[in-house]
Amino acid sequence: MINCLLIKISHNKRGMPVRSYRTLTAEELSIGRGAECSIHLLDPRISMHHAVIKRLDDEQLHLVAVNGELEVDGAILQNIALTHGTQVMIGPFQLRVEPAPPDVNIAVSLTLVHLLPDDFQDLKARTHEPLRGASTFKKRLALALVAFIALIFLALPLAQNLIPNLHATMAKLPLGFDRAWSPGHISNSHLHFGSQCFNCHEVLTQQVTDKACIKCHSNVAPHIPNPKLQEQVFNHNKLFMDGIRCAECHREHKSPYPLARQDNSTCVRCHGNIKAVDSHTKLTNIHDFDRDHPAFKLTFLTGDKEKKIERISQTDKARLVEKSGIKFPHSQHFGKVQGPNGIWDVREMTCTNCHQQEGKEMRFKPVSYNRDCMTCHANQLTMGPPEALITVPHGSEQNVMNALKVQAPKQLAHYSESLKTDGCAYCHEINDFKAKTKTEVKIDSKVKTNSDDGLPWHVAPLNINQDWFSKAHFNHASHQTQKCQSCHAVEESDSSADVAMPDRQSCLRCHSGNSPKPKRIASSCMSCHDFHDSHVMHESLPVPK
């Protein structure tokens, strides 16, 4: 994004220079005679699209010729780096790079150096004289067309909205007279009622209000969970004048373009200078993913039943430790691994053996013992000699102990200790009550607060995270051409405490910011963030037994 201070220098009747200032913000600043150009130069010696100011791969601002010539010291150039003091002739105008104030990227001044010749001014004045002697037929035809247009595009639509009986009759028809006022095609989301304009345009001649949108979208979450801050930012903020409406980001009548805006400009209005919006925020300024996006923050679960979370930056390496309650080395579950049936039982394992996809975005189901672990690890739940094997169920400790009491009541203590050290403890962290006082147990264990249930030990509560990026979304389906280990470095991981989530630099190998770059895909804020659900953590599914 380029923030440019444009200084136009003209001369008054006394010949004294007069400066006018204007701030321009855009990805690229076009210069030309066309009305759509960012810097509009109304002179016949300027091309419709003469040149453009943009940031090239060296991250410096350049003036690049499009359909016109750029002159520097008598030489015609196609590409000019804009540094302090640079002077360029754009047709009859002189562009000069001025000292820039701290809140803009660049400041340029434009001065008309070569005025139009006098004979051209005379020709221009004579060209704009009105035609004389127009025939009566042409005048009558013009009046008839004016009346026809007024009837079709003004009188009938007004009548439909102002006469109740006509309004009720037209509501039963697929199209109404006021359809002529539509500025474009209805989006696919609103096609089922789009022919009835009054569904959104509740009051004639007034713009669509948020109230009309909320009639259907009542369950849409706000951007900020704090109601007072939400009101302060969006309704009482100088950046948004009288407040920001739904229709500023959701542009209807623009089909086939997306209903929600995809560029960064609206997001940057706040997040480009976030302290001006909320002086107490801990967020940093962000303008573009490629330029100044901070390091990702990962969401860690710190509670078991209560969904307490802590978000830790990936730059804080010492704290990036998952306490899941599971002992799991990824390195022993990837590639060729030893199976449970002896030395000849060698199996080829991939990520999808345990991480099973679901949904169109290819989110992953929680890992389940019965579905993913039992095939290889059923032996951990068996004990005793071959002629008298005992199998205990996978589940609660109480069920395990009950099974031991029924199948081996005399060896209950021995088998219980064997399960604690070699069975359940093979995969789970164990809370040993024998080695602790009741006070220590109350502090350590979140599931069982004491050993009054008669059990000598308990499996530590599972705390497996299902949503590491709670304030962003990621579509695995869009990345299925890549290998899992391209982003998740788990081949050498020997501990379940390791966090193998990709960081920002990993994403920048394939993605750029709002503008595409060689071999990288343009990615706006909306590529990863949902405006309305930015603070809502995805519901983690319960971990199956």
Side-chain angles (χ1 to χ4, degrees), residues 23 40 44 81 113 133 171 175 187 226 237 251 288 295 361 364 379 393-394 410:
T23 301
H40 184 209
V113 178
L175 296 177
S187 63
N226 186 330
N237 191 320
R251 302 170 295 180
D288 189 86
E361 292 187 356
F364 291 96
N379 292 341
H394 183 271
K410 295 181 180 181

Side-chain angles (χ1 to χ4, degrees), residues 432-446 448-452:
D432 189 355
F433 292 119
K434 290 182 179 181
K436 301 181 182 181
T437 66
K438 288 186 179 182
T439 303
E440 290 173 330
V441 170
K442 287 180 181 179
I443 296 174
D444 254 2
S445 178
K446 298 176 182 178
K448 301 294 184 181
T449 58
N450 56 58
S451 57
D452 292 342

Side-chain angles (χ1 to χ4, degrees), residues 2 22 81 108 188 250 281-282 291 406 448 466 540:
I2 302 174
R22 180 186 173 197
V108 297
N188 291 336
H250 299 281
T281 184
K282 296 181 181 179
R291 289 165 49 198
V406 172
K448 301 294 184 181
Q466 301 292 337
S540 297

